[in-house]
Amino acid sequence: MFDLENSVAIFPNPNLGEFNMTLNAAVSSDYMIELRNMLGQVIYSQTLTNFSGKYIKKFDVQKLGGGIYFMSIRSKENQVMRKVVVN
């Protein structure tokens, strides 16, 4: 069984508003990526359809200000949530 929990990384964390998210998907699936602010509002959303391999996305939330953000990556079988701290 594919371990999504250990296949997602966010760095640097904490950061100053710029950070990277990587997904190493060993199993082909649809992956929904969402970044939410502390109010639960979706500020970024993307679906990777029938994806496997390495995905890297750079985020820049400097204009949104410091605080805590939540990154979720979901597939049909799993979900991973990561806290992102922006100073």
Side-chain angles (χ1 to χ4, degrees), residues 21 39 58 67 75 87:
M21 185 277 299
L39 300 174
K58 182 175 183 172
S75 69
N87 295 319

Side-chain angles (χ1 to χ4, degrees), residues 48-68:
L48 304 176
T49 304
N50 198 27
F51 178 80
S52 66
K54 187 169 186 175
Y55 176 79
I56 301 171
K57 171 74 179 167
K58 182 175 183 172
F59 290 88
D60 184 346
V61 297
Q62 292 179 61
K63 293 178 183 173
L64 300 175
I68 296 175

